[in-house]
Amino acid sequence: MMNGPCPFEDRVRRAAERLAESGVAALGGLFDLTSQRLVRFATTITRNQHDAEDAVQASLMRCAARPRLLRDAKRPWPYLLQVVRNEALAAARKQRRWSLAAGLIDLCTRREVDELEQEETHRAVWQALRRLPVAQSEVVVLKIWEGLTFAEIGEVLEISPCTAASRYRYGMEKLERLLGVSPAEARHES
Amino acid sequence: MNPDCPRRPAVAEGHPDLEARVRAAGSYVGPSANLRPRTLEAAREVRWGVRRRRRLASVGLAAATLWWTATRQLADEAAPAAPTLAMANVWQLGEAARQQAAQGASGPGWAAADAMTQLRGRQQELLATFIARSPPRSLAEGDSATGSADKFLGAEHR
């Protein structure tokens, strides 16, 4: 059962329409709207920021080259996630030399002033996500960060909603185990 | 009950604290500062590349058309005039007769007779060429010789 489009999806649709109307000149708007979400999603697949950014760049260029595909998609945001996922999987297959599951030095992190004390928690979450199998981490990311239903996740990942739900449950159980360690242990681990 | 998957329990209800922790970490990682200009620049280059290719293709097409037209015109001018049979209609016969009469060699009546004789002579030449070219079995297969000759002469007319 699909929910109605959320405001973010509406904004993506409008950005896609502008891209189709104005061409590359409107790509900046789509980038500003989606890049943060796309990069963090791609990072869970490629396991490093460099390849994730390449995947996002390639996806947005693909959209700029053929903007009608994005505009005419039934739901542009899941479609864009799917494009980024395909690019990220291709990059992950090519670049096996990166195996930075333990560290986060490749990531471009952002710290708000009032979130300094939470940085340790954020780092622990990202490290734990990198330890999950990609099949589980991408479901967790799409479910929690993107707020998609399992049916929508199934569409993006081309799996059944039940499979998405299973992967989510296993992923969350594993995350719970991984994040059960104390902050001191997590610091030592990184 | 899980609305997405009725056979399984709602899994999202089991980890509210963990979900909140993961959700809070969502904004921790973002794109690097140079990704935006890099992407926009690359997209612009692709667009200009496509435009350049289209422009080159149209210029190439125009050049090819021009070359083909010029070559064909030169070939037409250089080639000897193909043997054509004047169409045996009244207008052409009349025209030929008028031209001969205008030259003052003979009167209009004799000019018409001369034009008709010339036309017949050329038809005879072409018919002889046709008979020499066509295989003998064409008669055996039931084609009428006159019909084929008419076709041949018609082709030569065209």
Side-chain angles (χ1 to χ4, degrees), chain B residues 14-147:
Chain B
H15 314 271
D17 296 338
L18 183 57
E19 279 188 6
R21 270 175 88 177
V22 174
R23 190 173 291 113
S27 56
Y28 183 59
V29 170
S32 58
N34 69 340
L35 180 60
R36 190 180 196 276
R38 189 156 49 103
T39 304
L40 297 183
E41 185 62 30
R44 275 190 208 106
E45 278 177 16
V46 167
R47 188 184 64 167
W48 283 113
V50 169
R51 279 189 180 181
R52 263 198 301 270
R53 275 198 298 277
R54 279 185 190 160
R55 204 168 297 160
L56 274 176
S58 54
V59 167
L61 187 68
T65 310
L66 195 66
W67 178 82
W68 182 78
T69 311
T71 317
R72 188 157 175 205
Q73 212 160 17
L74 284 175
D76 284 351
E77 283 172 11
T84 55
L85 183 63
M87 291 176 75
N89 59 34
V90 176
W91 183 84
Q92 281 197 332
L93 275 177
E95 186 64 26
R98 266 195 298 276
Q99 282 177 1
Q100 286 197 7
Q103 287 168 2
S106 56
W110 282 111
D114 287 345
M116 190 66 186
T117 309
Q118 282 174 11
L119 179 68
R120 285 299 182 200
R122 283 157 68 188
Q123 283 181 339
Q124 189 182 3
E125 284 171 18
L126 286 169
L127 195 61
T129 313
F130 163 72
I131 290 168
R133 278 190 209 165
S134 60
R137 64 189 169 84
S138 63
L139 286 174
E141 286 171 356
D143 291 347
S144 76
T146 51

Side-chain angles (χ1 to χ4, degrees), chain A residues 57-97:
Chain A
Q57 180 181 338
S59 305
L60 290 176
M61 282 172 62
R62 191 181 288 267
C63 291
R66 302 176 73 183
R68 287 179 185 177
L69 289 180
L70 181 65
R71 186 196 62 186
D72 297 341
K74 194 177 165 192
R75 298 186 64 189
W77 176 233
Y79 173 80
L80 189 54
L81 285 170
Q82 204 168 17
V83 173
V84 168
R85 179 176 181 260
N86 291 339
E87 292 288 345
L89 286 173
R93 276 195 290 271
K94 275 188 232 168
Q95 308 277 349
R96 285 289 178 204
R97 65 176 186 271

Side-chain angles (χ1 to χ4, degrees), chain A residues 95-151:
Chain A
Q95 308 277 349
R96 285 289 178 204
R97 65 176 186 271
W98 296 95
S99 55
L100 301 172
L104 297 176
I105 51 169
D106 63 298
L107 294 184
C108 184
T109 57
R110 292 174 171 194
R111 282 172 292 184
E112 302 294 331
V113 177
D114 57 344
E115 285 183 352
L116 284 175
E117 57 193 25
Q118 293 178 353
E119 188 185 356
E120 205 66 27
T121 313
H122 296 340
R123 290 179 66 83
V125 168
W126 272 91
Q127 282 178 339
L129 278 173
R130 283 189 162 191
R131 287 184 172 190
L132 293 184
V134 170
Q136 292 171 11
S137 63
E138 60 185 2
V139 173
V140 170
V141 164
L142 290 176
K143 177 74 182 161
I144 298 180
W145 287 343
E146 302 309 329
L148 301 185
T149 64
F150 290 123

Side-chain angles (χ1 to χ4, degrees), chain A residues 10-33 67 70-71:
Chain A
D10 281 340
R11 291 168 68 195
V12 174
R13 183 178 291 280
R14 281 198 293 273
E17 284 166 0
R18 277 197 298 274
L19 185 65
E21 285 165 12
S22 312
V24 179
L27 186 61
L30 184 65
F31 181 94
D32 295 338
L33 186 63
L70 181 65
R71 186 196 62 186

